[in-house]
Amino acid sequence: MRLLKSAILASIILAPAAIGDDAAKGKFIELEDMFNIEYAAGPQLMPDGKSVVYERRSSDIMTDGTRVNLWVAPLDGSAQHPLLSGEKQYRSPRLSPDGTRLAYISNEEGSNQLYVRWLKTGDTARLTNLQDGFGQIAWAPDGKSIAFVMDVKAEQKPLFKGMPAKPEGAKWAGPAKVIEAPQYRGDGQGYFDVAHSQIFVIPADGGTPRQVTSGDYQHGGRLAWTADGKEILFGSLRIEDAEYAGRESELYAVNVETGDIRQLTDRKGPDFRPSISPDGKRVAWLGFDEDTRSNRENRLYVMDLDGGKPQGLTDDLDRGINDFEWALDGKSLYVSYDDHGKALVANVDLKGKRNVLTDALGGQSIGRPYTSGEFVPVPGGVVITMERTDRPADLALVGKGGKPKLLTALNEDLLGHKTLGKVEELSFKSSVDGRDIQFWTVTPPDFDPSKKYPLILEIHGGPFAAYGPAFSAELQAFAAKGYVVVYGNPRGSTSYGEDFSNLIDRDYPSKDYNDLMDAVDATIAKGFIDEDRLFVTGGSGGGVLSAWIIGHTDRFRAAAVVKPVINWLSFSLTSDGYLHYSKYWLKGTPWDEPMDLWKHSPLAYVGNVKTPTMIMTGEVDYRTPMSETEQYYQALKYRKIDAAMVKIPGASHGIAARPSNLVQKIGHILAWFERYDVKKDDAKKD
């Protein structure tokens, strides 16, 4: 009887098939495929108006990093060709105003430096020999100079000067590092030297860089030259103790010859990312009116450069502007923004009238399905990085008809012969307040709705971010192993308006938990989920919610909590963003609001946890520090709950930035879930 029961179970309950099993080898996505994925980024219109140059980004299995080369894609869809390609990096292409030269950054000769290439002849000149990192290239209107931003280290006088002389041949520990700056370290950057970003200009045919800004302030972001070439516009906050001013910033203009600086805006709230209109008469930029709510959405502003009043062009749009570009004729602008999990490109005229061109922007978030995407105006429309559920970003041309025409096919060799999981929308009403909630499911490549499958709930980070119907290497890998994956946007997510995102303002986690449980229930209601085989995972904000979930329910067989915040009391004073979180996300500081911070901490509910839990974090994560992970691991072990702590080598908060770490992240999650799958219990009974 037991054997018969097991046979019946085997016929109706699918056990996850191992990625790489002989039966599935080559048919479904595999972990080694993570080293072969490519995607498009940073398109720029070429001077002929008939093609774009773009960054072709691919994983390098030998260096365990991302290789960036420059390729040219014709707008008529004919064959693309390389412009600068090889083992070295070639990135940030910027064409000269007359279209004859291309400026770019490369590490071709070691460190990253600025180069210029003459397009007609192919001749190339290295312009800089700089020791510190730099970026934000911007050509002067006459093509004679190039501006860029570079950090300039401040002189530090030693605090202690009485160190005895070191005997010859002695090996001492080295000088102490004295830190006095409020912002002293950054995730992915480590501990800072005291430095300030300054704007420089350099002759476009080579020479010595000249610093044009000064002072103990951070100058940078997008740079914009005025039409006469006399000034450069930039975003900054040139006040004392600017680090304590939160999200505040203003627009300024620096005179390239004299260094004189004038302030262009004076609003409560940030102003940044200036761009001059093609006729040189107007400046557009992003910003918003500050009110200290946790999440605010960027608006698009424009004003006359000769002293006009700022005009909001998207005040009627309850969505945040991600990016914008002037139309080629200067009579309107193109903007991108997220709406219901998709990234849109729209044209906005100077009176604020808006026309949506496409909702197919995206495809650049390779690991998880976050909204993303870049675009550039071209004659007759825009070129976008295109979002699809079965491919990372390719370039596509969107004209008046709105239907994208593919210009590249970067992953057909890798994915064209594979069967991927199908992505379908899952919408439902929240059990909390009846709000519409949007999620998606990914089903296994060989999905049969008459059978039962295990489920993974995957939760996005942020928390002010949005998932959408996009390609995701991680979720496709889960689906390839036989799981149904459910993911989406609980309250607090962006792309549904400020009110929706701020439902968790100073109240996180809270009822977003209910939305996530509703998503699981809505998926189960479809009839193909084995309710005894539920799993949960998420990273960053998703790690917070994963830990919160297992403190409030034991319905999941195992959890993978990735780079979480476990204790808001400790996190608020150990994260690199400590000046931001207490001001905007939390009700207050640990000494003013200790009980409120504690009641929102997953650690407060660890006494309820019964779920086997793996906690995974990068070794040098300064955003959600390793100390958060260790607290939770020790608490679980103290209670004798099955737990594992996984430290990803050399990884910061962007835990999957290196291909091998993406593989390790996916592999460890899958291995942990398989260890606690109910099918193993059945096998033991037999």
Side-chain angles (χ1 to χ4, degrees):
M1 188 67 181
R2 184 178 296 171
L3 289 174
L4 178 60
K5 181 180 178 182
S6 297
I8 295 172
L9 281 170
S11 70
I12 63 173
I13 299 179
L14 291 187
I19 296 176
D21 283 352
D22 290 341
K25 191 71 174 177
K27 289 177 56 180
F28 306 153
I29 199 166
E30 303 168 37
L31 292 184
E32 51 262 41
D33 292 333
M34 307 303 155
F35 290 99
N36 297 309
I37 291 172
E38 298 185 67
Y39 67 99
Q44 300 282 310
L45 182 64
M46 291 291 280
D48 61 5
K50 298 179 180 180
S51 57
V52 292
V53 58
Y54 74 98
E55 294 181 353
R56 184 170 176 171
R57 299 183 181 180
S58 58
S59 297
D60 188 330
I61 196 169
M62 298 306 294
T63 63
D64 196 19
T66 300
R67 181 181 297 174
V68 184
N69 285 179
L70 300 182
W71 283 64
V72 175
L75 300 184
D76 63 6
S78 57
Q80 61 173 332
H81 63 271
L83 182 64
L84 289 161
S85 182
E87 293 184 358
K88 300 300 183 180
Q89 309 283 33
Y90 304 93
R91 59 183 178 86
S92 302
R94 296 292 183 269
L95 286 151
S96 62
D98 63 4
T100 63
R101 291 160 293 165
L102 181 77
Y104 61 94
I105 296 173
S106 177
N107 64 348
E108 186 174 358
E109 298 173 276
S111 61
N112 285 320
Q113 301 294 338
L114 177 62
Y115 292 79
V116 169
R117 180 183 179 90
W118 279 254
L119 294 174
K120 187 175 181 179
T121 65
D123 295 332
T124 300
R126 173 174 165 175
L127 266 61
T128 60
N129 186 28
L130 304 173
Q131 301 301 312
D132 295 307
F134 66 98
Q136 303 299 329
I137 302 170
W139 284 88
D142 61 7
K144 294 181 179 180
S145 302
I146 299 174
F148 61 89
V149 176
M150 184 176 71
D151 286 344
V152 176
K153 294 179 182 178
E155 182 181 356
Q156 284 186 279
K157 296 180 179 179
L159 177 64
F160 167 55
K161 302 178 183 179
M163 195 70 178
K166 183 170 68 173
E168 184 177 351
K171 296 180 179 180
W172 290 8
K177 187 177 182 68
V178 178
I179 296 172
E180 296 187 80
Q183 198 68 49
Y184 62 93
R185 69 177 182 177
D187 185 69
Q189 304 170 76
Y191 284 79
F192 303 140
D193 291 317
V194 179
H196 301 95
S197 55
Q198 306 289 357
I199 299 172
F200 291 76
V201 295
I202 188 172
D205 56 1
T208 303
R210 179 170 60 87
Q211 184 175 332
V212 297
T213 58
S214 60
D216 295 343
Y217 314 107
Q218 306 299 338
H219 311 83
R222 178 187 280 185
L223 304 179
W225 289 79
T226 54
D228 58 11
K230 292 182 179 180
E231 292 182 309
I232 298 173
L233 276 59
F234 61 95
S236 182
L237 187 59
R238 290 174 55 86
I239 64 171
E240 188 175 355
D241 290 335
E243 296 96 334
Y244 293 96
R247 298 183 291 213
E248 186 70 33
S249 65
E250 305 291 352
L251 294 186
Y252 300 85
V254 58
N255 186 292
V256 175
E257 292 300 321
T258 67
D260 293 338
I261 291 178
R262 61 190 180 98
Q263 186 171 330
L264 301 180
T265 60
D266 185 14
R267 297 186 323 108
K268 184 180 179 181
D271 296 295
F272 61 99
R273 205 166 173 74
S275 179
I276 304 292
S277 61
D279 63 7
K281 295 181 180 180
R282 299 180 179 89
V283 57
W285 73 95
L286 297 180
F288 57 79
D289 294 327
E290 180 64 274
D291 65 6
T292 73
R293 283 187 295 170
S294 296
N295 187 59
R296 295 305 319 274
E297 303 285 14
N298 292 327
R299 310 299 188 213
L300 177 66
Y301 299 92
V302 66
M303 72 177 180
D304 293 338
L305 266 177
D306 60 5
K309 182 180 178 182
Q311 175 189 359
L313 296 185
T314 60
D315 290 348
D316 66 329
L317 177 65
D318 188 19
R319 300 291 185 269
I321 304 301
N322 297 324
D323 200 3
F324 72 93
E325 296 287 348
W326 284 96
L328 299 179
D329 61 7
K331 295 180 180 179
S332 62
L333 299 101
Y334 292 97
V335 298
S336 64
Y337 59 91
D338 296 343
D339 182 53
H340 287 79
K342 295 183 73 67
L344 283 62
V345 178
N347 182 263
V348 181
D349 67 21
L350 296 179
K351 293 183 179 179
K353 184 179 179 181
R354 192 168 55 254
N355 175 48
V356 174
L357 278 71
T358 181
D359 64 356
L361 184 69
Q364 295 180 308
S365 178
I366 303 303
R368 295 193 280 165
Y370 286 108
T371 54
S372 61
E374 296 175 279
F375 69 93
V376 64
V378 300
V382 292
V383 167
I384 66 170
T385 62
M386 185 175 173
E387 174 182 86
R388 290 177 289 173
T389 60
D390 61 351
R391 298 290 186 274
D394 274 304
L395 293 184
L397 173 64
V398 180
K400 292 182 179 179
K403 184 177 180 180
K405 181 182 79 173
L406 278 172
L407 304 179
T408 63
L410 301 181
N411 291 281
E412 289 309 302
D413 57 334
L414 175 68
L415 301 176
H417 61 285
K418 294 180 183 289
T419 303
L420 300 183
K422 186 177 181 180
V423 179
E424 294 185 319
E425 185 174 338
L426 175 74
S427 296
F428 52 89
K429 298 287 186 181
S430 171
S431 61
V432 175
D433 50 16
R435 292 178 186 270
D436 291 326
I437 306 295
Q438 188 179 33
F439 271 64
W440 291 266
T441 59
V442 187
T443 49
D446 54 359
F447 177 67
D448 181 347
S450 68
K451 298 179 180 178
K452 297 285 189 178
Y453 294 81
L455 176 145
I456 294 176
L457 170 64
E458 208 284 334
I459 310 169
H460 74 61
F464 304 112
Y467 272 168
F471 175 83
S472 164
E474 293 187 36
L475 305 195
Q476 287 292 340
F478 294 159
K481 197 157 185 180
Y483 293 91
V484 171
V485 184
V486 58
Y487 71 95
N489 296 323
R491 66 192 60 222
S493 303
T494 56
S495 81
Y496 304 91
E498 284 191 342
D499 288 344
F500 186 85
S501 64
N502 282 302
L503 288 171
I504 61 169
D505 181 30
R506 273 79 171 182
D507 190 22
Y508 168 67
S510 57
K511 295 180 178 65
D512 38 2
Y513 163 83
N514 302 82
D515 294 342
L516 292 164
M517 294 303 98
D518 291 343
V520 173
D521 293 338
T523 310
I524 291 172
K526 289 182 173 290
F528 49 73
I529 300 299
D530 179 358
E531 294 187 54
D532 291 327
R533 302 168 72 194
L534 306 180
F535 302 87
V536 61
T537 187
S540 194
V544 176
L545 283 164
S546 298
W548 183 268
I549 284 170
I550 60 176
H552 289 77
T553 180
D554 59 0
R555 70 187 301 190
F556 295 93
R557 292 197 60 83
V561 176
V562 183
K563 51 187 180 183
V565 176
I566 294 302
N567 181 353
W568 292 110
L569 290 154
S570 56
F571 166 82
S572 64
L573 294 175
T574 55
S575 173
D576 65 337
Y578 76 102
L579 292 174
H580 176 91
Y581 295 121
S582 290
K583 187 178 183 71
Y584 296 110
W585 283 23
L586 308 176
K587 195 171 182 180
T589 60
W591 50 91
D592 289 329
E593 296 288 346
M595 296 313 298
D596 187 80
L597 270 61
W598 181 245
K599 79 176 183 179
H600 288 293
S601 297
L603 189 60
Y605 308 94
V606 73
N608 302 330
V609 175
K610 299 177 182 178
T611 308
T613 303
M614 178 180 71
I615 317 104
M616 180 191 305
T617 300
E619 284 185 329
V620 288
D621 188 332
Y622 294 142
R623 184 63 41 82
T624 54
M626 182 60 71
S627 56
E628 293 296 301
T629 289
E630 291 182 347
Q631 285 182 72
Y632 206 55
Y633 175 74
Q634 291 187 17
L636 292 170
K637 283 297 185 182
Y638 185 89
R639 295 193 55 246
K640 296 184 178 180
I641 303 298
D642 285 357
M645 179 167 57
V646 178
K647 302 170 72 172
I648 300 298
S652 59
H653 196 63
I655 196 171
R658 306 185 76 171
S660 69
N661 283 344
L662 176 58
V663 171
Q664 292 202 75
K665 178 188 177 188
I666 298 170
H668 279 90
I669 292 172
L670 288 171
W672 185 255
F673 289 171
E674 185 160 340
R675 177 188 287 186
Y676 293 96
D677 199 325
V678 69
K679 69 181 177 63
K680 299 221 171 198
D681 296 338
D682 289 340
K684 289 177 183 178
K685 291 176 184 177
D686 293 341

